[in-house]
Amino acid sequence: MGKERLKNLDYVIFVPYLIMSVIGIVMVYSASANIGLQNGGSPLSYLIKQLIFVILSVIIVLVMAAMNMKYLRKPKFLKSLLALFIVVLIGLLLVGKTINGAAGWIHLGPVNIQPAEFVKFFLIIWLADAIDKGQPEITLSVRNWWEQMKWPLFFTAVLIALILKQPDSGGAAINLAIAFILFNCSGFSWRRALSIIYGCLAAAVLAFEFILVPMAKSDSFSGSYQLQRIVAFTNPFGHAQGTGQQVVNSYYAISNGGLFGVGLGNSVQKTGYLPEPNTDFIMSILTEELGAIVAFLVLALLTVIILRTVQIGVRSNSPYQSLICYGVATYMSIQTFFNMGGVLGVLPITGVTFPFISYGGSSILTLSFCLGVVLNISSRQRIARKALKVVRQ
């Protein structure tokens, strides 16, 4: 059956994914060659790593697309992963490698692993399984919902709190969005869900305006990396030589690029002006070198993947498979929104990478696990439709 699923691969997802991965390889090389030289290494160092990550990603996608999904639902497997992530995230707070103000990295030779990225995939498969097994009891009443969901809700909160403590506000927010969408797909009242969404948005706006911004500007918190990002967001040009440097130079890069770009490899902002040009701000460099038209093309390719994932979820007769698709679509959507929001200055910088384009093994591999499962679900649907067509004939 594995070979049969690969024969029925959904190319509406697979082809855009491959195109974006190739664009990512090219842009990582273009954006990072100067960094490699400045660090006394080879201009090819980031390119080689990214190429390895992409090759591993394609292998993972195909393996996940062909595998029997029952292995993902084994209780022992899920409980072991939950315990592992909790232990690892606690350990990171004690001995984790600090990069960009967050102690969320495991250093393995030339590679840094970010466990919080893999939590996103785990939450999707774990909550989808828990919610599916709780049906139909959780739809009967709020009390039944609470009885079925209290432990998944508790451990989800533990995982998100540990990620936030690193501090990784972007990763915590994405995991929270995934959990929120899946819990609300569990049979929770949509009216109650909307009231919670609006309440959370109002609380976030008030907290941002009257608590976080004043706190970030006070002398007591001047050393907080996360809070200073808020200062930069509120007035980037007022802090252009400090915390606002990334946003200001991102504006310059996008402005320089115009519609058609200055040419591949010809970016000025990547030559020491824009920090993290190969990760968080790679879309700024892409826009500067290749132009806004190519940037919109990349966004269009990602939109095709996300909308197709949602469509597969809607078509599925299995609540478990539908929930996985909705979780993956949420993950990619929110991650893209946070990254582009930071690049365009409409959101505070969260340190979130752009899917499939930015340099980073943890992000690429996590996305490949998610995409592989979605392709698996799509292949099953195609095989079922073909079988039904044969029966009708």
Side-chain angles (χ1 to χ4, degrees), residues 308-318 321-323 325-326 377 381:
R308 183 66 167 182
T309 300
V310 173
Q311 183 184 49
I312 293 167
V314 171
R315 285 178 174 177
S316 178
N317 294 321
S318 164
Q321 293 178 7
S322 294
L323 287 167
C325 291
Y326 300 151
I377 295 169
Q381 292 179 4

Side-chain angles (χ1 to χ4, degrees), residues 100-101 167 169-170 216 224-234 243 246-247 280 347-352:
N100 292 337
S169 55
S224 172
Y225 184 80
Q226 299 291 325
L227 289 178
Q228 289 311 305
R229 283 178 164 178
I230 296 174
V231 174
F233 167 68
T234 57
T243 51
Q246 289 176 307
V247 178
D280 304 359
L347 290 175
I349 298 169
T350 55
V352 169

Side-chain angles (χ1 to χ4, degrees), residues 160-203:
I160 293 173
L162 289 172
I163 294 170
L164 188 61
K165 183 67 176 173
Q166 292 178 0
D168 180 2
S169 55
I174 293 171
N175 279 294
L176 180 62
I178 291 169
F180 183 81
I181 292 298
L182 293 184
F183 277 124
N184 279 287
C185 289
S186 67
F188 203 59
S189 166
W190 67 269
R191 291 185 179 87
R192 190 176 290 112
L194 281 179
S195 65
I196 292 174
I197 291 173
Y198 291 135
C200 289
L201 285 175

Side-chain angles (χ1 to χ4, degrees), residues 50-121:
Q50 186 75 357
L51 189 58
I52 293 171
F53 291 146
V54 170
I55 292 172
L56 287 175
S57 169
V58 174
I59 293 172
I60 290 171
V61 165
L62 295 177
V63 169
M64 296 298 291
M67 74 175 295
N68 190 329
M69 287 183 61
K70 72 177 183 181
Y71 295 113
L72 294 177
R73 304 195 67 176
K74 288 184 177 293
K76 190 174 182 180
F77 171 71
L78 293 173
K79 288 178 181 178
S80 298
L81 277 183
L82 175 61
L84 176 64
F85 278 120
I86 291 175
V87 170
V88 168
L89 291 174
I90 291 174
L92 285 174
L93 297 178
L94 302 174
V95 296
K97 180 178 175 64
T98 300
I99 298 178
N100 292 337
W105 301 79
I106 298 174
H107 185 61
L108 298 175
V111 178
N112 293 313
I113 304 296
Q114 191 176 17
E117 284 292 327
F118 296 99
V119 172
K120 298 167 186 173
F121 174 66

Side-chain angles (χ1 to χ4, degrees), residues 117 120 168-178 201 229 233 247 279-281 283 299 302 330-355 358:
E117 284 292 327
K120 298 167 186 173
D168 180 2
S169 55
I174 293 171
N175 279 294
L176 180 62
I178 291 169
L201 285 175
R229 283 178 164 178
F233 167 68
V247 178
T279 55
D280 304 359
F281 285 86
M283 287 301 289
L299 288 169
L302 189 55
T330 300
Y331 167 25
M332 290 190 289
S333 300
I334 299 298
Q335 180 136 335
T336 304
F337 176 66
F338 281 175
N339 178 271
M340 291 303 297
V343 165
L344 297 173
V346 297
L347 290 175
I349 298 169
T350 55
V352 169
T353 57
F354 191 91
S358 295

Side-chain angles (χ1 to χ4, degrees), residues 283-298:
M283 287 301 289
S284 301
I285 304 302
L286 183 148
T287 306
E288 183 180 12
E289 295 189 347
L290 303 180
I293 292 177
V294 175
F296 281 121
L297 173 62
V298 169

